[in-house]
Amino acid sequence: MVDRDTIDYMTRNEADMAFKRRVQTVFEFIEPNDQMRILDFPCGRGFYLNMIRYVCACELVGADLDWAVVKAAKRALRHLDRIFVQRASVISMPYPRDCFDALILSEVLEHIDDDVGALREAYRVLKPGGVLAVTVPNANYPLLWDPINKLLETCFNRRIRRGPLAGIWANHVRLYTPNQLRDAVVEAGFQIEEERSLTHHCFPFIHNLIYGFGKPLLESRLLPHSMQSVADRHNFEASSGRLNPVRLGVALFKVFDDKNSDDEGWERATVNLALKGRKPYA
């Protein structure tokens, strides 16, 4: 198993504490090693692929439906060996049956209508005994994570799904209760081995700050180089002075995150639900 110090090092400049906890959980669920073949779907810009390659020499495959994102991932990962990235749909995976040892479905099921269909495809391409690591946004999310949507939902049964104020509902079909996630995974044929609820304590409006405003600035490359480098999730070696605004923000957010545990329990409002499933051997 990858030790926590290594994961902490890779994510030490990460402003999104919920993402940092998802990374820790996914690594603990799949336990990557050199002999494995792992699929990350959707791979986004290749953050998980890059981190897994940093810790082991396993065979890695990434796929995403967004062609622009696929091209960005290929550019970011072009210097690394044994990583194949392609455009594909999660509900019709272009892979043969029983070919992966582990599969990551992180923050994707909430975007698609047929979530059980996607999980069945995951079941199909996993080897018997293969591990599925799923994370989704929690329907019972903390008020401070996305105050705007929380108040709109509570008072008017409405949500903002697009734009800088979209928050946790950005382009999502649904959020999940623990039972909804559990039922979908079991319906697809998996055995459930572990469930977690992640990130209760958070800085106010942090989702809007990071993804509504910070991410567009980062992608437009309008930030000074010192900030751009530290905020780059692909750059584990980046360092800067203590007064770097990104590092100051991370230090502030960490004050809140230090109150969180590896599993907050189902009764608490959290940002994410995580589940480890396994394809039966027979």
Side-chain angles (χ1 to χ4, degrees):
M1 180 181 293
V2 180
D3 65 89
R4 182 160 296 202
D5 287 344
T6 300
I7 296 173
D8 286 343
Y9 174 76
M10 293 190 294
T11 58
R12 72 191 188 283
N13 294 322
E14 179 56 53
D16 182 354
M17 298 296 113
F19 174 74
K20 186 172 182 176
R21 290 198 173 274
R22 292 197 300 271
V23 170
Q24 178 68 45
T25 299
V26 166
F27 268 79
E28 290 178 0
F29 281 0
I30 67 174
E31 300 183 56
N33 62 63
D34 293 349
Q35 286 69 50
M36 296 175 71
R37 178 185 292 150
I38 299 172
L39 172 63
D40 180 18
F41 208 144
C43 65
R45 288 166 174 76
F47 303 132
Y48 279 114
L49 297 173
N50 190 39
M51 287 185 280
I52 295 172
R53 173 56 74 245
Y54 186 78
V55 301
C56 74
C58 65
E59 184 177 344
L60 290 167
V61 178
D64 200 292
L65 188 60
D66 188 327
W67 180 237
V69 171
V70 169
K71 290 191 288 186
K74 287 186 175 184
R75 286 194 301 270
L77 302 170
R78 63 185 180 276
H79 62 292
L80 300 175
D81 296 328
R82 298 185 73 203
I83 301 181
F84 177 70
V85 180
Q86 68 179 131
R87 183 177 184 272
S89 169
V90 72
I91 60 173
S92 182
M93 299 185 189
Y95 311 114
R97 183 181 302 274
D98 302 342
C99 66
F100 292 103
D101 299 287
L103 198 160
I104 303 167
L105 290 179
S106 183
E107 308 303 287
V108 60
L109 295 180
E110 65 275 11
H111 289 275
I112 55 179
D113 292 320
D114 188 7
D115 56 347
V116 175
L119 287 163
R120 285 177 175 147
E121 273 293 89
Y123 184 95
R124 181 183 66 82
V125 302
L126 274 171
K127 297 177 181 178
V131 172
L132 174 72
V134 179
T135 74
V136 294
N138 190 355
N140 181 25
Y141 59 92
L143 169 65
L144 294 183
W145 180 259
D146 184 2
I148 297 173
N149 268 317
K150 194 70 170 182
L151 292 173
L152 285 173
E153 281 192 75
T154 303
C155 299
F156 305 105
N157 193 30
R158 301 189 63 174
R159 299 134 184 127
I160 300 175
R161 298 176 185 265
R162 288 174 176 77
L165 299 180
I168 199 168
W169 272 101
N171 303 310
H172 291 171
V173 176
R174 72 184 73 78
L175 307 184
Y176 283 84
T177 67
N179 284 338
Q180 286 172 328
L181 178 59
R182 187 182 302 119
D183 290 347
V185 171
V186 170
E187 185 176 347
F190 287 98
Q191 297 173 343
I192 297 175
E193 292 195 348
E194 188 173 350
E195 299 171 89
R196 297 184 189 178
S197 186
L198 307 173
T199 314
H200 171 73
H201 300 281
C202 50
F203 186 81
F205 291 95
I206 187 171
H207 192 287
N208 304 107
L209 290 171
I210 294 174
Y211 295 104
F213 300 100
K215 182 181 177 182
L217 282 173
L218 184 65
E219 293 179 348
S220 65
R221 307 195 71 82
L222 293 176
L223 295 174
H225 175 73
S226 59
M227 294 175 62
Q228 191 86 22
S229 176
V230 172
D232 184 357
R233 283 177 175 170
H234 285 288
N235 188 2
F236 305 143
E237 313 302 331
S239 60
S240 65
R242 293 181 180 179
L243 297 182
N244 183 292
V246 173
R247 291 194 65 186
L248 290 174
V250 169
L252 175 60
F253 300 155
K254 188 175 183 298
V255 172
F256 289 79
D257 185 56
D258 283 343
K259 301 176 184 178
N260 289 313
S261 66
D262 291 344
D263 182 8
E264 299 292 333
W266 299 126
E267 69 281 358
R268 303 195 82 179
T270 63
V271 178
N272 290 112
L273 303 176
L275 183 150
K276 177 182 179 181
R278 190 176 297 274
K279 181 175 178 176
Y281 284 97

